[in-house]
Amino acid sequence: MIERLTLEELAQTLVQQSEVKQDYLVDSTRMVMEAYGGTPVLRVLDYSGGDCMEPLELTSTAHKQLGAYLKIPASYYDRMLREATDLLTTNVNNWLNRTAEVKLLRTMDGTARAVLSNRYWCVDHLNLLQMVIPVLGHMPGISVLDCGLSETRMYVKVTSERLKEDVVPGDTVQYGLIITNSEVGMGAITIQPYLYRLVCSNGMVSGERIGDGTRRIHKGCTMELNGPMQVYHPPELTLRDKFAEQFQNSVKMAAEESKFGEILDMMRRAAQANIETEELPGLLKLVGTAVGIREPEQQHVLSHLLEVGDMTLYGLANAVTRYAQDVDSYDRAIQLESAGYDLIAMPLRQWNHFNQAAALQAAA
């Protein structure tokens, strides 16, 4: 089961993390990978060959970014990481020595957590949260449902007591928002619609944008470096910054958005779209490919669908979001909640095609 945090727990964790975070601008040719006891570490050397800092272990995110930067195919990089670290260090060091660029190295507690461009615009979770909390505090009927924090992202889910209606009698959904951010280059700052189903605590994340200010990528000005490495202190946003003002206005606008009515209409339409085939595993395979439900996950979704017995497109979407509560990763749970929304937003022509295709496969 995923760990859900209260707003207070999230803020406390972020304050603790802020005390062990440090960022550096580094010359990529001064980075060297070495393997100690089979574990790769990253060193940054000065011009005399000495260490500029203690060697750093790398998170999975940092490994992915380093491999992508050096244009090493991900499957090959991962295999070397698992089976041949000496070969990995040889490959990495060869290409690092040939690619002279300034990189932003984000670290936390002695670990390299991201290897990024020197144009990466740093907006840390705590700074963003400090802009969100005052806005939410002045919005009537708004409450924080829960929060999540992973290696790659922060999530804050908010619901509105004023915006709730039944999809079908007794099945009430609340409108809300989900605010996300990544400190390590794995996603933009986003504000998206969030639907919370009261009967079973399932949620759906809409991938649709609801205004120009609801998505901001982490791209800023070029940061210059003199020497092999220097400490970098990202400028903190204040409430007077243009982005802060736009962000707060976008939160207010999104919470009042009439989009709720449009989404309700889609949900009600999906509740009338029946599953027309008895070949449920085949249907799940086709639908799963379309919306990103992995093959090992499809059996779990099917179990939840059969348990409730709502044989409609809406019932299938709810089975997906119910399964999202069972996974260990908050990131994956959000992806599944997004897949649930993609199902209710599916055109009926496509849904009917999946039903027919599953039936034909079963008859073949």
Side-chain angles (χ1 to χ4, degrees):
M1 298 291 288
I2 59 177
E3 182 181 7
R4 302 179 186 275
L5 305 175
T6 66
L7 186 63
E8 293 75 18
E9 289 170 338
L10 175 63
Q12 183 179 14
T13 300
L14 295 178
V15 169
Q16 293 170 348
Q17 289 185 352
S18 68
E19 297 172 354
V20 290
K21 289 178 182 176
Q22 185 63 69
D23 297 325
Y24 303 92
L25 293 173
V26 300
D27 177 348
S28 62
T29 64
R30 306 311 300 166
M31 293 194 296
V32 175
M33 180 180 281
E34 293 185 4
Y36 290 103
T39 300
V41 297
L42 194 65
R43 298 173 62 194
V44 180
L45 307 180
D46 60 26
Y47 293 133
S48 65
D51 285 295
C52 294
M53 66 173 85
E54 290 294 318
L56 304 166
E57 292 191 21
L58 292 85
T59 64
S60 59
T61 299
H63 274 298
K64 289 176 184 176
Q65 291 169 338
L66 186 59
Y69 166 58
L70 299 176
K71 297 182 174 59
I72 301 174
S75 58
Y76 183 49
Y77 189 105
D78 291 343
R79 184 179 181 186
M80 289 189 291
L81 182 59
R82 291 191 312 268
E83 303 175 13
T85 52
D86 288 343
L87 182 59
L88 175 65
T89 58
T90 298
N91 274 271
V92 167
N93 291 333
N94 176 72
W95 295 112
L96 279 173
N97 194 48
R98 296 167 181 250
T99 54
E101 291 185 16
V102 177
K103 306 300 291 183
L104 174 64
L105 185 61
R106 308 209 78 184
T107 76
M108 183 166 64
D109 202 18
T111 299
R113 60 191 186 117
V115 182
L116 299 163
S117 161
N118 65 331
R119 293 195 62 186
Y120 187 79
W121 180 52
C122 299
V123 178
D124 283 352
H125 301 327
L126 185 59
N127 200 187
L128 193 68
L129 201 63
Q130 290 166 340
M131 292 189 289
V132 171
I133 290 175
V135 179
L136 300 180
H138 289 88
M139 295 170 64
I142 291 291
S143 60
V144 176
L145 179 63
D146 69 58
C147 305
L149 186 64
S150 70
E151 178 184 304
T152 57
R153 289 179 177 86
M154 175 188 74
Y155 305 90
V156 179
K157 294 177 182 176
V158 175
T159 56
S160 171
E161 184 64 29
R162 298 183 301 109
L163 297 175
K164 60 182 180 181
E165 286 192 39
D166 284 359
V167 176
V168 296
D171 188 349
T172 307
V173 293
Q174 271 185 308
Y175 183 67
L177 309 171
I178 180 168
I179 300 165
T180 67
N181 182 47
S182 177
E183 296 181 335
V184 293
M186 298 301 289
I189 302 168
T190 64
I191 307 167
Q192 297 169 272
Y194 186 79
L195 285 301
Y196 182 60
R197 190 172 179 234
L198 300 185
V199 68
C200 58
S201 304
N202 292 355
M204 289 185 183
V205 178
S206 167
E208 299 181 42
R209 295 181 63 178
I210 49 179
D212 292 337
T214 55
R215 187 176 188 275
R216 176 69 157 83
I217 63 173
H218 290 267
K219 186 175 182 180
C221 299
T222 302
M223 297 171 284
E224 302 294 338
L225 169 66
N226 294 313
M229 185 194 83
Q230 68 188 47
V231 175
Y232 175 68
H233 297 288
E236 286 199 8
L237 292 170
T238 70
L239 296 180
R240 295 183 179 181
D241 287 310
K242 182 178 180 181
F243 167 76
E245 182 180 351
Q246 291 175 338
F247 179 78
Q248 291 182 319
N249 288 337
S250 295
V251 172
K252 296 174 187 176
M253 179 196 71
E256 299 294 333
E257 179 61 44
S258 60
K259 189 73 179 175
F260 183 42
E262 298 176 28
I263 296 174
L264 268 175
D265 288 342
M266 286 195 302
M267 288 181 156
R268 289 166 178 161
R269 182 198 65 185
Q272 299 300 316
N274 293 326
I275 294 176
E276 302 288 354
T277 177
E278 295 182 358
E279 181 52 36
L280 296 179
L283 179 64
L284 258 293
K285 186 172 184 179
L286 293 169
V287 169
T289 300
V291 300
I293 304 168
R294 299 164 184 161
E295 191 166 340
E297 298 171 328
Q298 293 168 16
Q299 183 59 49
H300 298 286
V301 172
L302 179 57
S303 295
H304 287 304
L305 176 65
L306 293 173
E307 180 181 356
V308 175
D310 181 1
M311 296 299 167
T312 65
L313 177 55
Y314 181 61
L316 178 57
N318 287 324
V320 173
T321 57
R322 170 60 188 86
Y323 172 63
Q325 298 185 37
D326 300 337
V327 300
D328 295 329
S329 162
Y330 206 106
D331 293 325
R332 185 57 187 157
I334 296 299
Q335 292 166 0
L336 287 166
E337 290 183 342
S338 298
Y341 180 86
D342 290 342
L343 282 172
I344 66 161
M346 180 179 291
L348 289 181
R349 178 180 296 181
Q350 184 180 10
W351 172 243
N352 292 332
H353 169 74
F354 285 141
N355 273 285
Q356 295 167 5
L360 288 172
Q361 286 181 3

